[in-house]
Amino acid sequence: MIVLLTDFGVADPYVGQVHLRLAEAAPAVRVVDLFHGLPSFAVQASAYLVDAYCQRLPPRAVVMAVVDPGVGGLRQAIAWRAGGRCYVGPDNGLFEMVARREGVESCQALAVPEHAAPSFHGRDVFAPAAAALARGLALNAQEAPLTRFPDWPDEWARVLFIDHYGNAVTGLKAHPSRHEIEVADRRLRRARTFSEGPRGEPFFYENANGLIEIAAYEASAAGILGLRLADPLRVLG
Amino acid sequence: MIVLLTDFGVADPYVGQVHLRLAEAAPAVRVVDLFHGLPSFAVQASAYLVDAYCQRLPPRAVVMAVVDPGVGGLRQAIAWRAGGRCYVGPDNGLFEMVARREGVESCQALAVPEHAAPSFHGRDVFAPAAAALARGLALNAQEAPLTRFPDWPDEWARVLFIDHYGNAVTGLKAHPSRHEIEVADRRLRRARTFSEGPRGEPFFYENANGLIEIAAYEASAAGILGLRLADPLRVLG
Amino acid sequence: MIVLLTDFGVADPYVGQVHLRLAEAAPAVRVVDLFHGLPSFAVQASAYLVDAYCQRLPPRAVVMAVVDPGVGGLRQAIAWRAGGRCYVGPDNGLFEMVARREGVESCQALAVPEHAAPSFHGRDVFAPAAAALARGLALNAQEAPLTRFPDWPDEWARVLFIDHYGNAVTGLKAHPSRHEIEVADRRLRRARTFSEGPRGEPFFYENANGLIEIAAYEASAAGILGLRLADPLRVLG
């Protein structure tokens, strides 16, 4: 199985071109579009989201993840392994939080073919590599280290993503001991699920991926609170 | 075949997580994303849309439908059968119009596993049940009645959905005898298809699912008329 | 393989209904959603995009393309062949640029079944034809000429599409000799990829489909320049 996480969006022609390439190179392999709404240009924020969404993947899944403002520049294209799975994408920190949790068993730098479009390694470099790995084939690649980002915190106290309901996913883990947060000058208390709160009153809860998420029952928490990507928050207790 | 209708949107990571779960639990079953734009929080409006889009499904299709603001609360999770098909989702009225048309042959309340995320039964309760039904397996469930909503009208004279062209789908059936409607203080006449009207002049027509839909040739009827979700309309003749 | 390019959008229930029809009529055939964001009502602009995205399709692909404001009116529904591939859609110019590049080996006008919805030939006419062609079956159709649009230029010096990053795809080819363009009263120089430019400074580059595309490093070029669909541009040198 190949699992895709990108910032390509779903309205543009980029995911489709990746699917075409995968269908040609690995016709028998299932491809799952896990998430194409990673925040554009925001590699660090995306690193926490990629880690959250990759925690329960099937064994032997091949993950292709792309948030890659430096595509075609100096950063390497890589494929690396941990816990029986492979990860393919840019070596720009996007995999830092997965690597911190899983460890890194091996890593290779991918050769970039001459015909590859400098603006679309997703189609011309990462998809062929993901297809080869999913089929158990060797890569055109040589051993290289995964670049690490030790200064990034284990949790990031920021809004990473706002979904279409207006719920705001953060980079903080929803430890059971956390009962109150502060965001946008408001104190929010914890609830178990949406319908526990009064309609239109923001709260936070442990989302289905283990993160603190800000929501409101039948209303847009982001709208009520004026939240935007990268807004900070703070655990009060 | 498993057919999905939800309000999860396509830009968020929810449909992808459902697909992952289905791929693990029923790898040989085809999954069709029929519609992920059901109106959020609007269960009654969604009930008419689910009915309209489910009228010509293949025999033995398993329908998983989710508009579920009460997820994790008191409402039951159910699986029910009619006309050779199965329907899985929340017992909150979302299936009322399908049940009224098809009847209800049997209904079961699904057990909610302890590990299920209270905010995401789509992934942790409905998808496993849909996968099991598509494979012909028995559910962890017991007989229970489908909750009915007898006060809801057979047709709903409201705007249920506005598509990206600006066409407005309503909950009224396009009986051939209906020739004129009133909406947003305008009288609209019936046409057969878009190009029959003068450019930019709103009209209504029978959409491809049998409902009255308001449109304009090469223009946004919703923009011209200022239509919004839940706006009322009236049949004049 | 059936490859879809439409203006149906991904948030509406139209692509899903096409997938259902294809799954019933050609269950063993892979369907790839290449692009559902072709500009609505804009057949000529879409013709250049369809050509760009169809240049490296697998041999024997069946392309179903739909931008069809005249659906249900006088234009024919067609299926035509060139270069080992089949193309299905409206005979309104949408295939003009593909036909100019590939030639036209044969063309048929599709019969429109009586039950077909006049507003949704994608589901009721084109999908069944695409499914039949992908399975190697004969069509309910007779020989007919493809309508040609000789007045349309080989390249179109306009903005055809703006993606979610704010990059603007144009109808001009990125010949290596082209070094400078003028758009929105600004002169832009050529770069190889995004990270070559200073952050937030618009430039143009050869996109992954051979066209001139206007972009800015980690910023929205369309936002900075105020670009809109159909805006003109000019090659300066």
Side-chain angles (χ1 to χ4, degrees), chain B residues 109-168:
Chain B
L110 301 172
V112 174
E114 222 176 300
H115 67 76
S119 61
F120 199 3
H121 284 191
R123 183 190 71 184
D124 293 344
V125 179
F126 304 137
L133 289 167
R135 296 176 63 200
L137 304 178
L139 298 177
N140 182 5
Q142 49 190 5
E143 295 301 312
L146 182 72
T147 305
R148 303 304 299 268
F149 293 76
D151 293 344
W152 293 1
D154 285 340
E155 306 181 71
W156 211 29
R158 289 179 181 268
V159 171
L160 304 182
F161 176 68
I162 296 174
D163 73 16
H164 81 292
Y165 301 105
N167 298 345

Side-chain angles (χ1 to χ4, degrees), chain C residues 84-157:
Chain C
R85 300 189 187 89
C86 299
Y87 302 87
V88 180
D91 186 30
N92 61 2
L94 186 59
F95 296 113
E96 173 61 26
M97 305 318 298
V98 179
R100 216 175 276 187
R101 175 172 52 82
E102 291 272 2
V104 178
E105 285 160 24
S106 65
C107 183
Q108 293 176 292
L110 301 172
V112 174
E114 222 176 300
H115 66 76
S119 61
F120 200 3
H121 284 191
R123 183 189 71 183
D124 293 344
V125 179
F126 304 137
L133 288 167
R135 296 176 62 200
L137 304 177
L139 297 177
N140 182 6
Q142 50 190 4
E143 295 299 313
L146 182 72
T147 305
R148 302 304 299 268
F149 294 76
D151 293 344
W152 292 2
D154 286 340
E155 303 181 74
W156 212 28

Side-chain angles (χ1 to χ4, degrees), chain B residues 16 29 48 122 201:
Chain B
V29 174
Y48 296 90
E201 189 66 33

Side-chain angles (χ1 to χ4, degrees), chain A residues 189-207:
Chain A
R189 299 197 64 88
R190 184 173 184 137
R192 200 181 58 92
T193 188
F194 309 112
S195 57
E196 281 195 353
R199 190 168 281 112
E201 189 66 32
F203 63 90
F204 81 91
Y205 74 109
E206 175 175 359
N207 78 6

Side-chain angles (χ1 to χ4, degrees), chain B residues 30 56 163-165 192-193, chain C residues 7 12 14 27 71-72 123:
Chain B
R30 187 157 188 158
R56 292 195 288 185
D163 73 16
H164 81 292
Y165 301 105
R192 201 181 56 92
T193 188
Chain C
D7 70 346
D12 294 346
Y14 310 121
V71 60
R123 183 189 71 183

Side-chain angles (χ1 to χ4, degrees), chain B residues 2 4 16 42 47 54 93 142 146 157 161 168 171 189 196 210 213 216 237:
Chain B
I2 296 171
L4 304 178
C54 285
Q142 49 190 5
L146 182 72
F161 176 68
R189 299 197 64 87
E196 280 194 353
E213 183 165 326

Side-chain angles (χ1 to χ4, degrees), chain A residues 68 70-77 89-92 112 121 126:
Chain A
D68 195 11
V71 61
L74 294 176
R75 65 103 192 91
Q76 297 273 11
D91 185 30
N92 62 3
V112 175
H121 284 191
F126 304 137

